[in-house]
Amino acid sequence: MLLFRDDSIRSDFNHDLQRFLYGREYRVEELPFSKETIKQHVRKGFIALQHGIETADGGLLPFLSGGRRWVCRRCGNTDPELFGTCTCGRCNRSCAYCRRCLNMGVIRSCTELATWIGPEPRRLSAAPGENGRLCQWSGILSEEQAAAAAELVRCQSEGESFLIWAVTGSGKTELLFPAIERALLRNERVVLTTPRTDVVRELFPRMKAAFPNVPVSALYAGSEDRIPDAPLVISTAHQLIRFHRYFDRIFIDEVDAFPFHFDPMLQYAVQKAAKETAPFAYLTATPPPGLKNAFLRGDLRGIKIARRFHGHPLPVPRFCWIGNWKKSVAKGLLPPAMLKWIREKTEAGIRIFLFVPSVSLLRDLTELLQREALGPTAGVHADDPDRHAKVMLFREGRIRILVTTTILERGVTIPAAEAAVFGADDPVFDEQALVQIAGRVGRSPDHPAGDAVFFHNGRTLGMVRARRHIERMNEEGGF
Ligand SMILES: [Zn+2]
Ligand SMILES: [Zn+2]
């Protein structure tokens, strides 16, 4: 009798509300349902409400310590500088609010955050093709890729996290396919996340092509390819902040990339989006110290891939001194050594990435190059509204010289393009960034080599380390 009553209560909920809230976290006032409906669901145990801001000594987030008073439950902020207080019109008391995630709507002490704790909605499943497979990618993994893919699958089946430390151009994405396919066949929710919008845009069509029968959702600011409940999600780390204990598998691409590496909010968002037991897979060519050390100590399982998928070595960057480059540009002059290099490349029909340390320099240099009429030239930076269109034109070959800030240092693959850094001694270009930039070159089997030139006014530790890093990887790769 009791069982029967229990069952009837368990199914007595609003299915739209369930689908809306499951695996997400919203402020109560954001839910498009009546207050009465929400109250009912709270009473019956389908929805949990928690305060938006907790005091750390409440013991709710045990990893916090040391004199910090507040914790924002939505974004994980614990920095006292990033909280304010106000006389709250809602609770008529002095209320703390979080400044860090303010742009998503204010979180105060009296804000209630709702999560779904009732039954799970039916999962949107993926239909295997005629061959019983979900993955229709017809390529063949290299020996190194195949070994890494198998190890990743094994590790994930044991519920453990995994590091893939793979050189640029090693085909990291493809080696994820077996693990992703396995998870999808088990009806699990999978997210492939990365800090960069450009990387999401690059990965999305490749994933859709590889898994044609799987609903794939792309999440980034302004994305038009959002599918609710899609079992496979490609997302910026930023967009995951709305999720709560949702994904069974998390793959993080470019884990060392700015801003992920520096922004604790993004790390919190990714952690919160994962189910408690979800294994993580970290992908990177240049692991940040924490991951690298955990791997070298044996605390984190993983694999190192020192060869590119096409079996050719990584292009080793060449240093070229050009004197005071800032001064030259200010005078409206292009350093002759660089001009000569660019002319040779464009005359040979080669497309060029030209990396610069700042947006102001980008504008000046782009203008100078356009004046030289070496070929169609454009500049792109993070806030450029035409950025995606320009990358597309560069991909199609209609732009021949693309001047860019470090936003395109990774994730973007243009076959047969070559790369140079203008002002490689600028502190923006650390070892990681320079390794990534050199990694833009020689990506396709038809053009496995090419120039990576660092134009500079004095070698830096970052430049020397980047070159050593690449040489060492080539040695490990057997070259
Ligand atoms: Zn209040
Ligand atoms: Zn916050």
Side-chain angles (χ1 to χ4, degrees):
M1 194 63 189
L2 190 69
L3 246 178
F4 170 75
R5 267 176 50 194
D6 214 17
D7 273 355
S8 70
I9 292 170
R10 298 298 292 176
S11 60
D12 177 22
F13 56 81
N14 181 323
H15 288 259
D16 293 334
L17 177 54
Q18 178 204 32
R19 283 195 62 186
F20 186 86
L21 191 55
Y22 178 80
R24 308 295 203 282
E25 180 181 68
Y26 284 103
R27 294 179 298 158
V28 166
E29 58 267 33
E30 286 174 307
L31 297 171
F33 298 88
S34 76
K35 269 193 182 141
E36 193 44 47
T37 306
I38 292 161
K39 253 192 211 158
Q40 269 174 15
H41 284 76
V42 173
R43 219 177 310 127
K44 289 179 182 170
F46 296 118
I47 290 179
L49 296 181
Q50 286 176 311
H51 287 297
I53 292 174
E54 294 285 353
T55 46
D57 56 11
L60 283 156
L61 293 166
F63 54 85
L64 292 163
S65 60
R68 287 163 171 171
R69 250 187 90 200
W70 290 308
V71 184
C72 172
R73 191 181 285 280
R74 182 170 63 191
C75 75
N77 175 25
T78 57
D79 182 349
E81 305 262 301
L82 291 178
F83 286 101
T85 49
C86 63
T87 315
C88 179
R90 238 177 54 164
C91 65
N92 292 320
R93 275 183 273 182
S94 170
C95 233
Y97 66 94
C98 176
R99 273 203 262 261
R100 194 165 74 176
C101 62
L102 199 57
N103 62 347
M104 298 170 65
V106 64
I107 294 275
R108 299 176 204 180
S109 310
C110 66
T111 299
E112 288 177 312
L113 282 176
T115 50
W116 182 264
I117 50 169
E120 194 184 324
R122 238 182 54 172
R123 296 186 180 214
L124 194 63
S125 60
E130 277 172 16
N131 54 3
R133 300 277 314 268
L134 283 173
C135 181
Q136 304 297 338
W137 181 65
S138 56
I140 295 167
L141 296 176
S142 73
E143 213 172 292
E144 285 86 357
Q145 282 175 308
E151 189 59 25
L152 173 64
V153 167
R154 189 163 338 136
C155 208
Q156 292 220 321
S157 66
E158 291 163 19
E160 283 206 47
S161 293
F162 196 73
L163 171 70
I164 296 169
W165 179 353
V167 294
T168 55
S170 57
K172 279 183 291 182
T173 310
E174 287 75 17
L175 73 82
L176 300 182
F177 291 163
I180 292 176
E181 180 179 41
R182 183 172 173 278
L184 293 172
L185 284 170
R186 291 156 54 108
N187 226 354
E188 293 178 331
R189 295 193 179 92
V190 177
V191 64
L192 174 55
T193 186
T194 156
R196 301 274 178 102
T197 301
D198 300 270
V199 181
V200 173
R201 292 174 62 100
E202 173 106 1
L203 288 173
F204 178 60
R206 288 163 71 187
M207 285 294 163
K208 272 210 327 197
F211 297 96
N213 298 323
V214 179
V216 187
S217 193
L219 306 181
Y220 54 88
S223 154
E224 285 167 7
D225 298 291
R226 293 166 183 258
I227 302 174
D229 306 333
L232 179 55
V233 175
I234 320 296
S235 176
T236 60
H238 221 100
Q239 294 279 325
L240 292 184
I241 198 139
R242 290 284 184 195
F243 288 89
H244 184 266
R245 304 280 171 245
Y246 185 72
F247 293 103
D248 304 288
R249 297 264 181 263
I250 312 262
F251 298 87
I252 309 178
D253 198 8
E254 309 289 353
V255 68
D256 60 301
F258 181 86
F260 191 80
H261 188 37
F262 296 95
D263 188 344
M265 175 160 135
L266 297 185
Q267 297 180 25
Y268 181 84
V270 173
Q271 198 81 47
K272 193 173 65 164
K275 287 200 173 155
E276 276 100 337
T277 51
F280 284 71
Y282 306 96
L283 289 92
T284 173
T286 45
L291 280 182
K292 187 169 158 182
N293 294 337
F295 170 69
L296 294 175
R297 272 200 315 268
D299 294 341
L300 172 65
R301 287 166 70 175
I303 203 160
K304 210 167 167 185
I305 304 178
R307 273 167 90 99
R308 289 185 148 184
F309 79 94
H310 55 45
H312 296 269
L314 295 161
V316 177
R318 179 163 67 82
F319 298 168
C320 178
W321 185 84
I322 50 168
N324 191 332
W325 42 271
K326 269 186 204 153
K327 228 185 211 166
S328 310
V329 172
K331 280 192 204 154
L333 298 169
L334 288 166
M338 187 176 82
L339 193 57
K340 182 168 168 269
W341 180 79
I342 296 177
R343 188 162 282 139
E344 277 169 18
K345 291 295 164 188
T346 46
E347 278 170 7
I350 294 165
R351 279 169 292 175
I352 301 169
F353 277 113
L354 190 57
F355 288 86
V356 295
S358 71
V359 176
S360 63
L361 199 67
L362 176 124
R363 294 207 175 97
D364 295 344
L365 194 66
T366 306
E367 218 181 285
L368 285 176
L369 287 166
Q370 284 168 340
R371 213 177 295 160
E372 291 288 333
L374 300 157
T377 304
V380 283
H381 58 89
D383 299 322
D384 182 349
D386 300 324
R387 155 176 161 197
H388 301 305
K390 286 176 186 170
V391 171
M392 188 72 85
L393 290 173
F394 186 56
R395 197 182 291 284
E396 290 166 358
R398 289 197 277 163
I399 289 173
R400 309 299 300 178
I401 304 171
L402 192 63
V403 189
T404 172
T405 56
T406 53
I407 50 153
L408 296 184
E409 80 189 16
R410 56 179 85 222
V412 178
T413 298
I414 310 281
E418 303 194 6
V421 181
F422 181 75
D425 49 313
D426 190 279
V428 174
F429 297 112
D430 58 8
E431 174 189 342
Q432 258 102 342
L434 292 170
V435 167
Q436 291 290 347
I437 288 170
R440 296 307 98 210
V441 181
R443 312 267 303 200
S444 85
D446 302 332
H447 300 91
D451 275 357
V453 191
F454 297 168
F455 294 104
H456 68 95
N457 183 25
R459 315 176 162 210
T460 59
L461 207 54
M463 290 163 59
V464 174
R465 281 194 179 139
R467 189 155 73 180
R468 207 185 298 148
H469 182 133
I470 290 166
E471 285 169 344
R472 203 175 304 140
M473 278 304 201
N474 279 340
E475 276 165 34
E476 283 185 35
F479 298 107

